């Protein structure tokens, strides 16, 4: 359903690039992944948004790689709202809809609902990485909901490295299964890199391994808006946009 279309991908990248170039006052902040929480492309990082910041957005996810797609027949549209407070706690509520479904079907009306909680244990130091634990779709994990399509429990560490010509943000983590749930989106080691020409650059490249496949993406920031597009498994197009705002 979501196999690569080179023309569509090229248009998306070019549109995002020229939109960023045409805007001023570029701001950089902790960025959202396609899951709706702070991360790289699809993998989490040990970063959270600034305290009392809310993010909202929409991301497209290929049905061929989703646990909520009727065996890959329907791509996903993710609508999220994410909040950081206390100031190390990040919570996210997300609706996931199977796209192009019959409008009268049960899944089209109710959609999948999930919550994620992430706690920053240690902030990154000069010589030490940040450390975070996360519980994704935790209602299913702890038995409080019937369906659990996107479960993932993980610990992740992140460390930035600033060199002469490039700024690199490295994350590595481990996802574990508390309930032997086969629907978990991550299982085992995952890792990723984000490359920029400088720390506050609006344009970055991402390469990651999500515990199942290699992914690559480009991410652009302008003001409080983020646009991202890339390839899941180096084959399926994914991406979307989000906006952050202090409250």
């Amino acid at each position: 359903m979501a196999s690569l279309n080179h023309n569509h991908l090229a248009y998306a990248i070019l549109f995002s690039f020229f939109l960023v170039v045409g805007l001023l006052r570029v701001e950089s902040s902790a960025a959202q992944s396609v899951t709706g929480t702070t991360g790289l492309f699809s993998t989490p990082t040990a970063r959270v948004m600034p305290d009392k910041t809310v993010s909202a957005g929409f991301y497209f996810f290929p049905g061929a790689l989703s646990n909520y797609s009727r065996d890959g027949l329907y791509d996903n549209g993710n609508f999220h709202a994410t909040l950081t407070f206390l100031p190390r706690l990040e919570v996210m509520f997300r609706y996931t809809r199977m796209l192009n479904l019959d409008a009268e079907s049960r899944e089209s009306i109710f959609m999948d609902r999930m919550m994620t909680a992430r706690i920053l244990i240690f902030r990154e130091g000069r010589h030490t990485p940040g450390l975070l634990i996360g519980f994704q779709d935790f209602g299913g994990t702890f038995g409080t909901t019937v369906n659990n399509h996107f479960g993932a429990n993980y610990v992740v560490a992140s460390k930035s490295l600033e060199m002469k010509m490039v700024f690199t943000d490295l994350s590595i983590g481990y996802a574990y299964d508390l309930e032997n749930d086969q629907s978990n989106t991550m299982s085992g080691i995952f890792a990723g890199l984000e490359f920029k020409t400088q720390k506050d650059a609006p344009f970055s490249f991402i390469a990651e391994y999500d515990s199942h496949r290699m992914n690559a993406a480009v991410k652009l920031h302008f003001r409080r808006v983020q646009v991202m597009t890339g390839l899941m498994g180096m084959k399926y197009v994914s991406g979307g946009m989000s906006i952050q705002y202090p409250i």
Side-chain angles (χ1 to χ4, degrees):
M1 287 292 296
S3 59
L4 173 61
N5 184 307
H6 294 281
N7 289 333
H8 289 173
L9 180 61
Y11 292 150
I13 294 173
L14 286 172
F15 172 80
S16 301
F17 177 78
F18 286 113
L19 187 59
V20 170
V21 170
L23 293 172
L24 301 177
R25 293 169 52 206
V26 171
E27 297 179 7
S28 178
S29 59
Q32 308 309 110
S33 70
V34 295
T35 66
T37 56
T38 304
L40 296 174
F41 190 21
S42 67
T43 57
T45 62
R47 314 282 183 207
V48 294
M49 298 182 298
D51 189 26
K52 299 177 182 177
T53 298
V54 65
S55 169
F58 168 82
Y59 287 94
F60 169 86
F61 194 85
L65 304 179
S66 174
N67 295 325
Y68 183 65
S69 62
R70 293 188 179 178
D71 296 323
L73 293 177
Y74 296 97
D75 300 320
N76 291 172
N78 299 331
F79 306 84
H80 80 267
T82 307
L83 173 67
T84 299
F85 61 102
L86 292 183
R88 298 190 180 198
L89 176 63
E90 180 180 278
V91 294
M92 184 269 291
F93 179 78
R94 190 179 87 195
Y95 274 113
T96 298
R97 180 173 183 174
M98 283 189 271
L99 302 177
N100 301 318
L101 264 182
D102 184 336
E104 296 182 357
S105 69
R106 177 179 176 83
E107 290 92 342
S108 179
I109 296 172
F110 294 102
M111 301 185 279
D112 180 78
R113 300 169 298 280
M114 61 167 282
M115 291 192 69
T116 293
R118 293 159 35 90
I119 304 169
L120 181 62
I121 305 301
F122 299 116
R123 294 190 183 276
E124 179 183 354
R126 182 175 181 181
H127 302 293
T128 57
L131 185 69
L132 179 144
I133 58 172
F135 303 94
Q136 182 171 296
D137 204 358
F138 61 79
T141 298
F142 297 108
T144 58
T145 61
V146 176
N147 298 315
N148 182 21
H149 300 291
F150 303 102
N153 312 292
Y154 56 83
V155 57
V156 58
S158 296
K159 185 73 179 76
S160 59
L161 302 170
E162 191 164 8
M163 294 173 280
K164 186 174 182 180
M165 298 295 293
V166 65
F167 178 86
T168 303
D169 199 13
L170 169 66
S171 293
I172 185 168
Y174 185 83
Y176 49 94
D177 190 348
L178 293 176
E179 296 290 334
N180 192 28
D181 189 345
Q182 299 303 313
S183 69
N184 275 17
T185 57
M186 294 189 300
S187 180
I189 295 174
F190 61 89
L193 286 167
E194 183 171 12
F195 301 94
K196 302 179 181 181
T197 55
Q198 57 187 17
K199 184 176 181 179
D200 295 325
F203 185 89
S204 64
F205 293 93
I206 294 171
E208 65 175 23
Y209 173 69
D210 64 10
S211 80
H212 299 296
R213 62 191 69 87
M214 291 296 301
N215 309 315
V218 291
K219 187 179 291 188
L220 304 104
H221 290 275
F222 46 97
R223 299 188 180 182
R224 301 187 186 280
V225 178
Q226 169 190 292
V227 177
M228 179 169 60
T229 187
L231 298 177
M232 295 286 184
M234 307 307 294
K235 180 179 180 181
Y236 299 97
V237 176
S238 182
M241 66 181 298
S242 60
I243 184 169
Q244 292 183 7
Y245 199 82
I247 58 175

